[in-house]
Amino acid sequence: MSPFAGSNSEDSTANTGYPFGESEAMARQMANGVRLTRLNHDLCWQYGCLVIANQSKNYRITEFRVQEAARNGTMQWSANQFRQFGSGVEPRKAVFLFKTGKPETCDWPVLFTLSDPKRRETMTVQMRASLCVSPHRDSLVRVNVVHPEVTVGEPQPGS
């Protein structure tokens, strides 16, 4: 079917995913996307990346916090590091951050807050991750929350 084919009405506008007549702007956006991807790859190669993979089926990672020293010398949790993305990590998705920490942050406490929108339930998970600069070496953090499910019904024959 042609993208210029109209619908059932007499509409003859194009059915495209970009603004009609804006092909130069779209080509510029695509070229910038390729440059940005190459830059991200180069920065991961230079500093190392922390890949956060949400392997949960139902839970969304809404916050990622790092332990840091307060002005008075006590340790506290940082602001949400996902605020730069505008949202968290959906189930079965991943995101990466550049590792910019000092050598002492190679095994550092981190905190994830997860939420299940169906149950309106939230939970926190603490673990340790490598946040120090490590050229050519990425780190992977897998977050997987398994929530037990109970099904009530008639027993199956043979079980």
Side-chain angles (χ1 to χ4, degrees):
M1 182 170 152
S2 168
F4 298 102
S7 61
N8 293 339
S9 66
E10 295 299 317
D11 185 13
S12 62
T13 58
N15 294 328
T16 59
Y18 55 89
F20 189 66
E22 301 284 333
S23 58
E24 290 176 11
M26 283 303 300
R28 195 173 311 111
Q29 267 185 331
M30 291 171 72
N32 286 338
V34 169
R35 276 189 224 110
L36 182 62
T37 301
R38 188 178 319 137
L39 177 65
N40 285 341
H41 179 269
D42 291 346
L43 287 173
C44 276
W45 187 250
Q46 184 177 355
Y47 296 109
C49 278
L50 174 67
V51 180
I52 300 170
N54 184 0
Q55 295 183 326
S56 301
K57 287 183 181 179
N58 301 319
Y59 286 89
R60 182 174 172 257
I61 303 175
T62 56
E63 295 181 5
F64 168 56
R65 297 177 186 270
V66 177
Q67 200 169 57
E68 63 183 6
R71 288 185 183 197
N72 62 4
T74 62
M75 298 303 279
Q76 66 181 20
W77 293 110
S78 70
N80 184 8
Q81 301 298 307
F82 285 157
R83 71 174 180 245
Q84 62 186 329
F85 300 115
S87 66
V89 183
E90 297 296 323
R92 306 284 186 185
K93 301 287 181 187
V95 68
F96 71 93
L97 302 162
F98 302 116
K99 297 185 342 179
T100 57
K102 297 177 181 173
E104 60 267 12
T105 62
C106 286
D107 185 30
W108 203 252
V110 294
L111 174 85
F112 294 99
T113 302
L114 296 99
S115 67
D116 183 351
K118 293 178 186 173
R119 294 186 183 100
R120 294 187 180 130
E121 176 183 18
T122 61
M123 68 174 55
T124 58
V125 177
Q126 288 187 27
M127 59 181 66
R128 299 182 81 79
S130 174
L131 305 175
C132 63
V133 172
S134 52
H136 316 299
R137 298 187 70 191
D138 296 335
S139 300
L140 173 65
V141 174
R142 296 177 187 193
V143 180
N144 189 6
V145 176
V146 180
H147 193 80
E149 295 182 22
V150 177
T151 305
V152 178
E154 295 294 321
Q156 298 294 327
S159 49

